[in-house]
Amino acid sequence: MTIALVVAIGLAGGVLAGLFGVGGGILFVPTLALGLGLTQLHAEASSLLAILPTAVVGSWRQRRYGNVDVRAAPFIGIASIGGVQVGVLLAESLPESALRRLFGVLLLVTAVHVVWRTRPRS
């Protein structure tokens, strides 16, 4: 049952990433933490690892459509590596409850942003 759940989560995350350009972490992290009983830290780390193939395939496909700024990509990639290192240090220093709350805030901010972008314009 666990393997089937993980495959379903991966498929759903991939579809969301392909359709909307959102990271699968919005789906992966809560499901891994609540559904499979991983700690918040382990769920976040697993989500980061799982998104690598999606990012590679998505970037490759989007580059074929001319949607990738090849000059900016190396700078974004290098800065992301540094950001991940800082994030890991921070995540390891925070209690589990704080990580869950911060992830919840991120989800709320993301939801507000999506609603804001879809509002009717005058």
Side-chain angles (χ1 to χ4, degrees):
M1 178 68 164
T2 301
I3 302 255
L5 179 61
V6 169
V7 169
I9 294 166
L11 183 62
V15 169
L16 286 174
L19 276 175
F20 304 114
V22 298
I26 290 174
L27 179 66
F28 294 153
V29 173
T31 307
L32 291 172
L34 299 174
L36 297 179
L38 270 63
T39 67
Q40 186 72 19
L41 188 62
H42 288 144
E44 290 169 3
S46 299
S47 175
L48 284 172
L49 181 59
I51 205 66
L52 281 175
T54 305
V56 169
V57 171
S59 298
W60 172 67
R61 293 287 309 256
Q62 290 299 323
R63 186 165 191 267
R64 289 179 38 202
Y65 298 125
N67 296 332
V68 175
D69 185 342
V70 179
R71 292 180 300 172
F75 297 106
I76 294 169
I78 291 168
S80 296
I81 291 169
V84 165
Q85 295 302 319
V86 171
V88 166
L89 292 173
L90 183 61
E92 288 178 338
S93 70
L94 293 172
E96 178 84 9
S97 60
L99 283 176
R100 288 188 182 200
R101 285 189 185 104
L102 286 170
F103 187 77
V105 169
L106 173 66
L107 291 179
L108 288 173
V109 168
T110 302
V112 168
H113 181 255
V114 169
V115 169
W116 180 259
R117 287 182 54 199
T118 59
R119 75 189 187 292
R121 311 222 182 199
S122 54

